[in-house]
Amino acid sequence: MDLSRDQINRIFEIAESIKSGKEKIALKEHAVLALLFEKPSTRTRLSFEVAMAQLGGQAVYMYSETTQMERGETIVDTAKLLGSYCDFIAARLYNHSDIIEIANNSGIPVINALTDLEHPTQSLADAYTILQHFNNLRDVKIAFMGDIASNMANSLMITAAKLGAEVALVGPYEKYPPNSFYLNHAREYSKVYYYSSIEEGLADADIVYTDTFVSMGQEHEAEKRRNLFSQYQLNEKNLSYASHDALVMHCLPAHRGEEITTQVIDGPRSIVWEQARNSLLINKAIILFLSERR
Ligand code: CP
């Protein structure tokens, strides 16, 4: 949400130059990234830790339950402390308003590593991955199928629409509608539609993207969600409604047999491991992009 199209493209440009070994921006010596996480993570945590190590800096992981936040220290006080010790913060939090508090009070760049409303670092890696297969997102239709009210749907529609892609949100919108704030914002940039019909929503899609039906923090309604979303599983039949050469994406972790079948995620059209690999590259590029601006 905070990045312009030009800034997103600058991050991709940095990623390309890292890949070619020609990147000129250097990380400040001994730079430290604080990873403040309230929720579990495999990829995001590891990719930021590896990114900092490979860039010559260091990441310090803090699971919130092991900090004084658990005993009531406020998010504002925590932000001030992190800002006085570290160079960057990447935070994975439940409440989106908490990351705004950290950004407003730490005095250093803050990266959203997922909140209940957004997962922007993932959507940047996703858009970069799609660009490895298509020259321009303006030529691409992306269908996100499943929980179209999720943080992943919000960030994917914003990032993809900003870069000009057409976005179809395909899910049971009468019960779980897309977030109107993100939808309206995405529509300022591109065509974004939502459907309950899989056949209509996936028609001519170049990318079919799915994610868990039960996001972190929604475990109490897991059964209800699995029942409601089950018809939106990304399986061979539903994939057949998309373009004949449509690519399959999933931000992972996958719940095989729920939102996606093993046949599809391990099939020839799946680019999920390329997506996961690109998170490391993009997270390095995000750190260097923020260094460039300091
Ligand atoms: N895609 C993603 O955010 O994975 P993790 O939850 O493992 O970080």
Side-chain angles (χ1 to χ4, degrees), residues 37 40-45 92 113-114 119 122 152 216 251-253 279:
F37 278 40
S41 169
T42 300
R43 278 146 288 271
T44 310
R45 172 186 174 178
R92 171 168 285 201
L114 183 148
H119 196 359
Q122 180 65 51
M152 197 58 248
M216 289 179 277
C251 62
L252 302 176
S279 282

Side-chain angles (χ1 to χ4, degrees), residues 172 175-176 213-214 221-233 258-259:
K175 291 243 166 60
Y176 289 97
F213 293 155
V214 186
E221 51 180 46
E223 196 179 335
K224 181 179 136 198
R225 288 178 152 270
R226 286 190 187 109
N227 289 336
L228 185 69
F229 289 115
S230 60
Q231 65 172 302
Y232 294 95
Q233 182 187 64
E258 288 185 24
E259 74 273 6

Side-chain angles (χ1 to χ4, degrees), residues 200-238:
E200 284 176 33
L202 263 56
D204 301 322
D206 303 295
I207 300 287
V208 186
Y209 195 122
T210 192
D211 187 16
T212 182
F213 293 155
V214 186
S215 291
M216 289 179 277
Q218 297 172 336
E219 291 78 8
H220 59 286
E221 51 180 46
E223 196 179 335
K224 181 179 136 198
R225 288 178 152 270
R226 286 190 187 109
N227 289 336
L228 185 69
F229 289 115
S230 60
Q231 65 172 302
Y232 294 95
Q233 182 187 64
L234 185 44
N235 51 36
E236 291 284 345
K237 178 170 179 282
N238 283 338

Side-chain angles (χ1 to χ4, degrees), residues 63-74:
Y63 197 61
S64 63
E65 279 183 15
T66 64
T67 72
Q68 296 289 7
M69 280 168 66
E70 185 66 8
R71 297 176 64 247
E73 187 163 25
T74 67

Side-chain angles (χ1 to χ4, degrees), residues 141-145 166-170 191-195 201:
K141 176 179 172 182
I142 302 171
F144 182 96
M145 183 163 69
E166 180 181 338
V167 179
L169 302 166
V170 187
K191 293 183 209 161
V192 185
Y193 302 111
Y194 56 91
Y195 305 84

